[in-house]
Amino acid sequence: MILITVGTEKFPFNRLMTWIDRLIEQQFINPNEEEIIVQYGSCTIQPQGVKAYQVLPSQDFQALVAEARLIIAHCGEGSIDLLAKAGKPYILVPRSGQFGEHVDDHQVELARSLARQQVPIAYTPGDLVRFLQAPVFVEIPATPTQYYAQASQLLHQDLVTLTTPKTRSSRALLPGLASLANIGNWVARVPAVFSQITA
Amino acid sequence: MKVVLVSSTGGHFNALCQLSSFWQRHQCTWVTFRNSTTEKVLQGQPTFWAYGPTNRSLKNLVRNLLLSAQVLQQAKPDLVLSTGAGVAVPFLILAKLMGIKTAFLESFTRVEDLSLSARLALPFIDKLYVQWPQLQDKYPQAELITL
């Protein structure tokens, strides 16, 4: 069974759906011979002949992950964690900001960084075909789970020492003034940020 | 210590949950969007439901700013902690202005630049954590989490 997932992102990832559909059409994968399950999230189209679910309850989804021989996923945090733990062949496909698949191109940047570490990344349907013919599991060097575990410890060290309870009035005055000084920098940056938003 | 935890849903919320070994030692108030996952996970926790979607929605920004005033007033936290995205911006700014400590954990998936939310709130963030060295090169004030 092949499992395809695009996460919970509110932007559709129709490009991947179209690629999968094309692979089925060209018989690189065949839903009549092998089950193909798609969790399509906010996509507005689904590949032909697959079993499609919008979003599965976590438990059901985990069961499918355990059963799959190959997982195709977007480059989201949850998916990367899942694949690192599942220990089975996978292919990652980055969402692109250019095509309205995410807020910006950060998934493409992440994909490039992971690709340098030999992680199977598909930028084109051709890449998908290549990895489908020789599926691999590549250990992901650092996982979100490790990052958050480490962050929890750091937060504890940094902030418990930082936030010593004081009276509200004395506490608010100085940092508040510091922030006011910062507003200048911030206002200066608004045009640049605004042009990014409206770009 | 009193902590306000704020994030949007999906990966950002999941990230916040994964910081439990930090926040479970403190008194927490949650701010996120309402969906089946967050409702289930936060059952019985003090929670405020924020207004989404936040990107390019001035109306929801104003609503969330008003909500942040209400939450910070009521919860009186020592710290506001967020993993993103847009919903965090008004909370971080207002918290800093009120003299409350602020912390932002950038997503694992951000390699070459901070998210827009982090860039917007940057002057109001006391502690910024990142995962990729490239990011720390660009923003020296960030703390790099080495794995």
Side-chain angles (χ1 to χ4, degrees):
Chain A
M1 184 266 280
I2 297 176
L3 176 64
I4 297 149
T5 173
V6 298
T8 56
E9 195 46 63
K10 63 180 174 296
F11 301 93
F13 196 9
N14 288 346
R15 189 164 49 103
L16 178 58
M17 295 297 119
T18 309
W19 290 3
I20 300 294
D21 189 67
R22 200 60 51 79
L23 292 181
I24 292 169
E25 198 177 294
Q26 310 273 333
Q27 304 212 326
F28 287 110
I29 45 177
N30 186 338
N32 303 323
E33 285 171 14
E34 179 179 33
E35 198 171 29
I36 299 171
I37 298 179
V38 178
Q39 183 180 259
Y40 61 88
S42 53
C43 296
T44 51
I45 51 175
Q46 291 135 49
Q48 57 188 309
V50 302
K51 238 190 192 166
Y53 302 95
Q54 188 170 21
V55 177
L56 286 153
S58 158
Q59 243 170 340
D60 303 2
F61 185 70
Q62 291 295 346
L64 293 178
V65 168
E67 195 192 321
R69 77 168 171 94
L70 170 76
I71 301 169
I72 300 173
H74 79 141
C75 283
E77 208 164 271
S79 298
I80 289 171
D81 242 344
L82 177 106
L83 297 170
K85 288 193 192 96
K88 57 181 63 186
Y90 63 87
I91 310 169
L92 287 170
V93 188
R95 289 168 176 265
S96 157
Q98 237 174 319
F99 302 133
E101 294 156 354
H102 214 310
V103 289
D104 54 28
D105 261 342
H106 70 279
Q107 279 205 4
V108 177
E109 291 163 11
L110 173 68
R112 273 197 227 114
S113 180
L114 291 170
R116 280 196 288 272
Q117 298 160 325
Q118 313 314 311
V119 168
I121 304 281
Y123 299 106
T124 66
D127 292 339
L128 273 183
V129 171
R130 210 157 35 90
F131 290 122
L132 271 164
Q133 280 167 341
V136 284
F137 169 72
V138 176
E139 192 100 26
I140 295 169
T143 66
T145 294
Q146 294 167 325
Y147 172 55
Y148 294 120
Q150 196 71 23
S152 300
Q153 285 187 4
L154 269 179
L155 274 165
H156 187 70
Q157 288 167 18
D158 290 348
L159 292 156
V160 171
T161 50
L162 267 176
T163 46
T164 44
K166 294 179 209 162
T167 60
R168 176 150 292 275
S169 59
S170 71
R171 211 179 56 180
L173 188 66
L174 285 170
L177 285 174
S179 297
L180 283 173
N182 265 327
I183 286 176
N185 307 335
W186 192 71
V187 168
R189 250 190 302 176
V190 163
V193 171
F194 188 75
S195 68
Q196 272 172 336
I197 298 174
T198 51
Chain B
M1 193 167 82
K2 290 187 207 147
V3 183
V4 165
L5 301 164
V6 52
S7 81
S8 53
T9 41
H12 299 281
F13 179 72
N14 188 24
L16 206 46
C17 292
Q18 289 202 61
L19 298 171
S20 62
S21 70
F22 166 71
W23 53 249
Q24 69 192 182
R25 316 178 198 203
H26 305 290
Q27 210 181 318
C28 296
T29 304
W30 293 76
V31 180
T32 183
F33 305 133
R34 191 185 209 134
N35 71 15
S36 56
T37 307
T38 54
E39 264 185 336
K40 202 154 71 187
V41 174
L42 298 178
Q43 213 171 21
Q45 300 288 333
T47 305
F48 290 86
W49 301 117
Y51 303 94
T54 55
N55 44 345
R56 298 175 201 182
S57 166
L58 191 62
K59 187 174 117 185
N60 283 338
L61 178 66
V62 172
R63 288 163 108 188
N64 286 324
L65 189 58
L66 295 171
L67 179 71
S68 69
Q70 186 198 343
V71 172
L72 298 175
Q73 220 24 276
Q74 279 183 29
K76 296 195 169 46
D78 304 287
L79 168 72
V80 172
L81 170 63
S82 178
T83 49
V87 67
V89 177
F91 283 84
L92 294 165
I93 293 175
L94 195 67
K96 180 74 183 171
L97 292 171
M98 288 168 74
I100 298 161
K101 289 278 177 232
T102 55
F104 189 92
L105 184 70
E106 185 51 286
S107 163
F108 174 91
T109 60
R110 295 275 168 180
V111 182
E112 289 171 28
D113 204 347
L114 290 175
S115 58
L116 182 62
S117 320
R119 288 202 305 272
L120 284 168
L122 200 53
F124 304 90
I125 296 172
D126 291 314
K127 269 281 172 197
L128 171 69
Y129 299 92
V130 298
Q131 207 274 140
W132 297 84
Q134 300 93 306
L135 265 187
Q136 207 215 358
D137 293 345
K138 206 164 176 174
Y139 300 92
Q141 70 271 52
E143 189 156 344
L144 183 69
I145 294 183
T146 42
L147 303 179

